[in-house]
Amino acid sequence: MDRVRPNIGRLKSDIERISTFIDKSKLGHTRRSFTEEYKEARVWLREKMEESGLETSIDAAANIIGRLSGSDNSLKPIIIGSHTDTVENGGMYDGTIGVLGGIEVVRILKENGVNLRHPLEIVDFTSEEPSEFGLSTIGSKGMIGELTKEMLQRRDNCGRVLSDAIHDLGGNSRSIKKLARKKGDAVLYLELHNELGPVLDNKECPLGVVTGIVGIHRYKVIVNGEANHAGTTPMNMRCDALVFTSKLVLKLQSLCKDKNRDDVVGTVGKLNVEPNASNVIPGKCEFEFEVRSLQNDIIDEIVSQFIDEAQALSKERNIKVKFDNISKSSSVIIDEGIKKVLKDSCEEVAKTMYLPSGAGHDANHINEIAPVGMIFVPSKDGKSHCPEEYTSYEEIEIGVHALIKALLAFDKILK
Ligand code: HGY
Ligand code: MN
Ligand code: MN
């Protein structure tokens, strides 16, 4: 009998409980960062951590940290983390299984009298998904001191400033730089996540060890044309911002497709049209696009080609186009040694394969201060960032079990 099997009934009731802290006026699971339901979920989560024997605190970037002492105080911590915010109309597992799975790991260790050598920190990172401030992975960027003054001054649509929103969650943006963790302040970062893509489900493989995590560059684009009457303006006399924007959307698609590689993707997922009226030629469009790849130079290449071609096209058409970078995260290639320990640990529990992550994670940033490793469990039919997102409790149990095994293995070997 394996002593360190998770108690899936208990974890299920935690997952179901946190799923009640959502915006009920929206479809699916909507717990946007910095909202009332997010704050309520965090209060509940912190209590859960305390109940499980963790000493909790909130750091400068408003990350919730639950700490368990190790037997050797001279050692730096192992961190297990993920996030509890969701995209709008999202799913119920993205992020939450990593945080709640981490708390279950602590309960299992305690119940079985297992003392780790290293301190262990379970972290709920602030706002991993793109927030209303246009920025994602706010907590992990903050933990390593990468939230710039300019970022902290960004405003949401209601005019709220990000630094105030961080304060409201119990953080302190003025101390972020000073309290930033440095390289070597943790020995390892581990994250359990649902794959958010189709590979494990297609291959009927219950566990995945991540080989690399994509980098993501995001930009905001403002296209200024000329609003005018939709009936009286001849087709050859228009400066239609939406028609121009449509060409850019297709251009981005073809630049990414032309690479003919399965690890490059580009998306326009957000678009506003002004004045957005059926009988007015669109005068202005604002959209956001992102490009992702495991190779940072490919992202740079596509983005600069896209910007150059858009600028050239705008001159031909008497339309103004302006690009502003929102964020850039670098891709991560997981260390061979970390992958091997993860694979061996996972294989003790269930069939395991290697695969890359097409989603970005807090690990992209924590990689600056510690080696990172990720374990994936399947996402049914590859669905995520939508209400249909699903991972069975049996699959989550396997994932948490593998996470405990990996933690114990790393605790033994890491200095
Ligand atoms: O957008 C993403 O990759 C994510 O799910 N954070
Ligand atoms: Mn997500
Ligand atoms: Mn996630």
Side-chain angles (χ1 to χ4, degrees):
M1 174 67 183
D2 190 339
R3 288 194 311 144
V4 294
R5 270 184 91 101
N7 178 335
I8 195 61
R10 178 168 62 188
L11 182 53
K12 176 172 184 267
S13 88
D14 286 350
I15 294 171
E16 286 173 357
R17 178 76 176 109
I18 202 165
S19 303
T20 62
F21 300 107
I22 52 171
D23 180 344
K24 299 198 172 68
S25 69
K26 302 268 165 59
L27 292 170
H29 286 260
T30 301
R31 187 168 45 253
R32 299 291 292 143
S33 51
F34 305 107
T35 57
E36 281 310 307
E37 44 286 357
Y38 184 58
K39 282 202 259 178
E40 283 165 20
R42 283 166 52 98
V43 169
W44 172 84
L45 183 75
R46 196 167 173 187
E47 278 167 17
K48 240 323 123 190
M49 284 184 173
E50 294 274 351
E51 222 174 77
S52 312
L54 292 163
E55 199 180 306
T56 65
S57 57
I58 295 189
D59 74 4
N63 299 305
I64 302 178
I65 302 176
R67 190 175 165 102
L68 182 71
S69 302
S71 61
D72 185 343
N73 279 330
S74 69
L75 296 176
K76 297 288 185 194
I78 295 175
I79 304 174
I80 290 179
S82 202
H83 61 98
T84 51
D85 61 313
T86 73
V87 296
E88 188 161 326
N89 298 343
M92 138 180 189
Y93 308 95
D94 180 346
T96 53
I97 64 167
V99 178
L100 297 176
I103 295 175
E104 178 60 16
V105 168
V106 172
R107 293 187 292 224
I108 293 296
L109 295 179
K110 288 219 161 223
E111 283 166 5
N112 289 283
V114 180
N115 288 318
L116 297 177
R117 290 167 54 236
H118 296 79
L120 175 65
E121 290 180 346
I122 308 298
V123 179
D124 173 36
F125 285 106
T126 310
S127 191
E128 190 269 353
E129 303 287 4
S131 63
E132 312 311 333
F133 300 91
L135 210 60
S136 62
T137 53
I138 290 174
S140 48
K141 280 191 183 93
M143 184 177 269
I144 62 161
E146 271 191 5
L147 277 180
T148 62
K149 277 199 183 128
E150 178 275 318
M151 287 173 177
L152 288 164
Q153 287 313 306
R154 289 192 196 176
R155 288 174 190 270
D156 66 10
N157 284 340
C158 306
R160 185 159 65 145
V161 177
L162 175 58
S163 60
D164 293 340
I166 289 175
H167 274 263
D168 196 34
L169 290 183
N172 180 357
S173 62
R174 278 194 298 274
S175 309
I176 286 179
K177 267 268 176 296
K178 198 171 75 209
L179 299 179
R181 297 199 194 190
K182 308 274 172 326
K183 207 178 185 73
D185 280 351
V187 290
L188 178 71
Y189 173 73
L190 289 177
E191 182 166 352
L192 170 71
H193 210 284
N194 47 344
E195 183 201 328
L196 306 173
V199 178
L200 293 176
D201 193 42
N202 275 348
K203 298 229 184 288
E204 296 185 5
C205 185
L207 286 171
V209 168
V210 173
T211 52
I213 311 171
V214 292
I216 310 175
H217 292 196
R218 290 199 176 104
Y219 283 78
K220 178 175 183 167
V221 188
I222 300 179
V223 176
N224 274 302
E226 275 169 33
N228 207 338
H229 198 291
T232 60
T233 319
M235 294 309 282
N236 61 354
M237 289 178 71
R238 297 175 175 217
C239 288
D240 185 325
L242 182 57
V243 170
F244 183 80
T245 298
S246 308
K247 288 188 196 299
L248 296 193
V249 174
L250 295 174
K251 172 59 69 191
L252 182 69
Q253 191 196 31
S254 69
L255 282 174
C256 292
K257 271 189 159 173
D258 283 356
K259 289 282 162 206
N260 212 7
R261 306 163 48 118
D262 59 10
D263 70 341
V264 180
V265 289
T267 308
V268 175
K270 194 171 178 187
L271 169 68
N272 283 317
V273 182
E274 283 179 30
N276 211 20
S278 56
N279 61 350
V280 185
I281 296 166
K284 182 177 175 185
C285 288
E286 275 189 24
F287 70 92
E288 287 180 13
F289 78 90
E290 52 158 62
V291 178
R292 304 182 180 213
S293 172
L294 284 170
Q295 299 204 42
N296 295 314
D297 52 346
I298 302 267
I299 306 179
D300 285 334
E301 199 181 302
I302 289 179
V303 169
S304 73
Q305 208 176 333
F306 181 54
I307 294 177
D308 287 351
E309 294 192 24
Q311 305 283 19
L313 205 60
S314 73
K315 286 194 186 101
E316 271 170 37
R317 282 166 205 268
N318 204 16
I319 280 196
K320 289 199 175 54
V321 58
K322 182 169 166 283
F323 288 80
D324 281 317
N325 178 254
I326 296 173
S327 62
K328 286 183 182 181
S329 72
S330 300
S331 63
V332 172
I333 303 300
I334 309 288
D335 174 83
E336 286 298 324
I338 302 282
K339 276 190 322 202
K340 173 85 173 66
V341 175
L342 282 173
K343 183 111 185 300
D344 291 347
S345 306
C346 287
E347 272 168 348
E348 284 181 42
V349 178
K351 192 170 121 196
T352 306
M353 64 179 282
Y354 281 132
L355 80 170
S357 173
H361 295 284
D362 291 302
N364 286 78
H365 303 289
I366 301 304
N367 185 55
E368 298 290 323
I369 60 158
V372 301
M374 291 192 74
I375 297 172
F376 277 174
V377 288
S379 294
K380 190 172 177 347
D381 300 326
K383 296 252 185 206
S384 64
H385 284 185
C386 57
E388 292 77 28
E389 180 183 299
Y390 180 72
T391 303
S392 71
Y393 286 106
E394 291 73 24
E395 290 167 322
I396 295 171
E397 178 179 18
I398 290 171
V400 178
H401 197 182
L403 180 64
I404 304 176
K405 296 269 189 196
L407 173 66
L408 294 174
F410 282 118
D411 184 55
K412 269 205 192 98
I413 57 178
L414 290 173
K415 291 263 169 15

